[in-house]
Amino acid sequence: MKNTYSNVLESIGNTPLIKLQGPSSQTNCNIYGKAEFLNPGGSIKDRAALAIIKEAEEKGTIKKNGTVVEGTAGNTGIGLTLIGNAKGYKTIIVMPETQTQEKIDTLKTMGADVKLVPAKPYKDPGNYVKISARIASELSMNTNEGVLWANQFDNTANYLGHYNTTGQEIWSQTNGNIDGFVCSSGTGGTIAGVGKALKEKNEKVQIVLSDPKGSALHNYIQSKELISEGGSITEGIGSSRITSNFAEAIVDNSYSVNDNEALSILYTLMEKEGLFLGTSSGINVAGAIKLAKDLGPGKTIVTILCDKSDRYHSKIFNKKFLLEKKLPTPNWL
């Protein structure tokens, strides 16, 4: 790993693996979390953002003083804005107004033009992704600098970025001694890219989806039907459709994880291991524990620690909110 970088973009990726002591002891396996919260934008989405922008530059879609437009739950927008600022691009971010205030404030303070819209399903023309596409299309008619609609869900530069970086890093860091990889899916980029990279190295590595309630992907893996049940307070993961990135994923199995389970794991990791992680990490670690129990003792499982808890304080440390949702609360609140 390099210690000196010529710019902030070179510090994206090459994150460490951290052994999760509690989950490992609980299952008699070695469960590791890839510390993606250590990326400069604070999440794994920096990788997708960089891969998408690099491809657009190579194709000539965008040049200096151009504009990047994206519909996002927040983290990809933060990654795109960070990279845009470093490269001289303006950034327009369309977000559902239901996302945490912390992510909205972060984007605004970074200088992004943030447009909040009502949360609507993908099939609705008012869905945030479709609004971002229309904004990009309109802008492209009135500028010569180029407009990039990042389109993280269906732009396969996303999963290829994870194939080229995240997956290769995990294989190298485990010295090829890996039995399973578990993560949730928002765009599908991580599970598709990492899964394909690991399967090429060893087809016996199990690639498993950990899916929050309210998402249709678990049922799709199990029965090929897009049926969703329940709901979740998690943000940026789960889907009601098969994105172009998820379509590339080689998935051996899936687990459905509820918020009670995920939050209990998060609070234990905070209290016992000093890892203050966001909600999707709770879904991921819960899935890793399930896979470890299914595979048996002595196995090595890797999952993704996507971002930190500070982007969700208004939810996961909000006692009134948690009690209203009948969710566990940390014992120090």
Side-chain angles (χ1 to χ4, degrees):
M1 188 182 294
K2 289 173 65 178
N3 294 317
T4 305
Y5 303 102
S6 60
N7 59 59
V8 71
L9 306 185
E10 291 183 3
S11 69
I12 294 173
N14 288 309
T15 55
L17 284 185
I18 297 174
K19 187 171 183 179
L20 305 179
Q21 296 293 333
S24 295
S25 297
Q26 179 186 338
T27 58
N28 290 313
C29 285
N30 297 304
I31 297 180
Y32 292 92
K34 193 146 172 63
E36 291 299 300
F37 58 85
L38 294 176
N39 281 305
S43 88
I44 190 166
K45 295 297 188 177
D46 286 6
R47 293 183 188 259
L50 184 61
I52 287 168
I53 286 179
K54 275 185 172 179
E55 184 193 64
E57 290 173 335
E58 288 166 5
K59 289 182 173 179
T61 306
I62 193 169
K63 52 190 177 182
K64 195 165 180 70
N65 299 319
T67 303
V68 180
V69 183
E70 183 60 327
T72 168
N75 280 338
T76 304
I78 291 167
L80 289 169
T81 303
L82 179 149
I83 296 162
N85 287 357
K87 286 177 168 284
Y89 305 139
K90 306 180 197 75
T91 317
I92 299 173
I93 301 299
V94 183
M95 286 177 72
E97 58 194 7
T98 50
Q99 304 308 289
T100 60
Q101 193 63 44
E102 292 91 332
K103 287 192 284 191
I104 295 166
D105 290 345
T106 298
L107 279 161
K108 288 181 176 178
T109 54
M110 292 174 76
D113 178 358
V114 180
K115 300 184 185 298
L116 298 177
V117 300
K120 294 186 178 179
Y122 184 76
K123 62 184 179 183
D124 192 298
N127 174 269
Y128 69 104
V129 175
K130 293 183 176 177
I131 290 174
S132 70
R134 291 198 295 272
I135 290 172
S137 177
E138 290 164 10
L139 271 178
S140 65
M141 298 175 189
N142 300 302
T143 179
N144 295 319
E145 283 79 26
V147 175
L148 168 63
W149 178 42
N151 189 19
Q152 59 175 319
F153 295 91
D154 295 307
N155 184 340
T156 53
N158 176 348
Y159 102 83
L160 289 170
H162 288 289
Y163 170 84
N164 289 321
T165 66
T166 325
Q168 310 302 328
E169 290 168 29
I170 290 171
W171 181 260
S172 176
Q173 288 170 312
T174 58
N175 295 312
N177 178 28
I178 176 171
D179 300 289
F181 173 75
V182 182
C183 78
S184 52
S185 173
T187 65
T190 304
I191 194 167
V194 173
K196 192 163 282 194
L198 294 177
K199 285 283 192 184
E200 280 185 5
K201 304 285 190 183
N202 179 1
E203 62 181 17
K204 292 181 180 177
V205 177
Q206 291 288 293
I207 308 301
V208 177
L209 172 73
S210 191
D211 208 32
K213 296 293 183 184
S215 172
L217 297 179
H218 169 65
N219 279 328
Y220 178 78
I221 295 301
Q222 298 298 322
S223 66
K224 296 302 177 192
E225 292 185 279
L226 283 167
I227 300 170
S228 62
E229 300 162 352
S232 173
I233 67 165
T234 57
E235 298 183 9
I237 57 173
S239 183
S240 61
R241 68 186 181 98
I242 303 305
T243 65
S244 296
N245 283 291
F246 191 80
E248 298 289 336
I250 306 162
V251 182
D252 295 299
N253 198 4
S254 64
Y255 302 113
S256 181
V257 179
N258 64 52
D259 285 347
N260 284 64
E261 196 174 359
L263 284 174
S264 294
I265 288 167
L266 277 188
Y267 296 142
T268 301
L269 288 171
M270 290 174 189
E271 187 174 20
K272 305 291 186 185
E273 303 194 38
L275 286 166
F276 283 74
L277 304 168
T279 49
S280 53
S281 297
I283 299 289
N284 287 350
V285 177
I289 292 170
K290 289 177 188 292
L291 180 60
K293 288 178 176 177
D294 283 350
L295 292 182
K299 298 298 193 289
T300 296
I301 314 292
V302 175
T303 191
I304 301 291
L305 308 180
C306 311
D307 60 8
K308 292 173 72 175
S309 63
D310 55 6
R311 295 201 170 151
Y312 311 94
H313 281 178
S314 56
K315 283 186 174 180
I316 62 176
F317 296 122
N318 181 340
K319 195 168 186 178
K320 182 172 181 286
F321 171 83
L322 293 168
L323 291 174
E324 285 174 355
K325 298 280 187 182
K326 298 181 178 174
L327 293 171
T329 58
N331 58 32
W332 57 89
L333 272 190

